[in-house]
Amino acid sequence: MHLLHDPNAPRADEIGFEDFLKVDIRVGTIVAAEEFPEARKPSLKLRIDFGPAIGIKRSCAQIAALYRPDALLGRQVAAVVNFPPRQIGPALSEVLTLGFADGEGRVVLFQPDQHVPDGARLF
């Protein structure tokens, strides 16, 4: 199991509040999702609407083990929106969609328990 997925891993190094503020985590609504068979791990390609300030961004997320593309449409998710884009095989991922590993290491999406405006920032 990867250290990031291990619930018994030691706590990460302490950071200052200023460091936390540098990570821009926003909520957005999935407006498109499709299979990503070229990925090494079971993944989907997402298009997520983060509202007018950020717009629609692409994400390659390793979530295909638990989620089907058609079931994700309209679902709100959280993502880091200020990492540089990353090439994942033939696709470009512009944001990092957030989730937690379940007991088998599959990614469970992180989402608010009530609807919030797209683009709202985590604090």
Side-chain angles (χ1 to χ4, degrees), residues 27-92:
V27 70
T29 299
I30 297 173
V31 296
E34 63 183 275
E35 301 285 339
F36 187 19
E38 302 91 350
R40 282 184 271 158
K41 295 184 180 181
S43 300
L44 299 177
K45 291 191 284 187
L46 309 175
R47 290 178 50 81
I48 307 169
D49 186 353
F50 292 98
I54 296 173
I56 296 174
K57 298 294 181 184
R58 295 171 289 183
S59 180
C60 300
Q62 296 177 358
I63 60 173
L66 294 177
Y67 301 96
R68 301 281 34 106
D70 59 337
L72 291 172
L73 298 180
R75 181 185 183 124
Q76 286 195 303
V77 293
V80 176
V81 299
N82 66 331
F83 284 153
R86 187 171 177 197
Q87 193 71 40
I88 310 291
L92 185 68

Side-chain angles (χ1 to χ4, degrees), residues 68 84 96 106:
R68 301 281 34 106
L96 175 65
R106 301 171 300 187

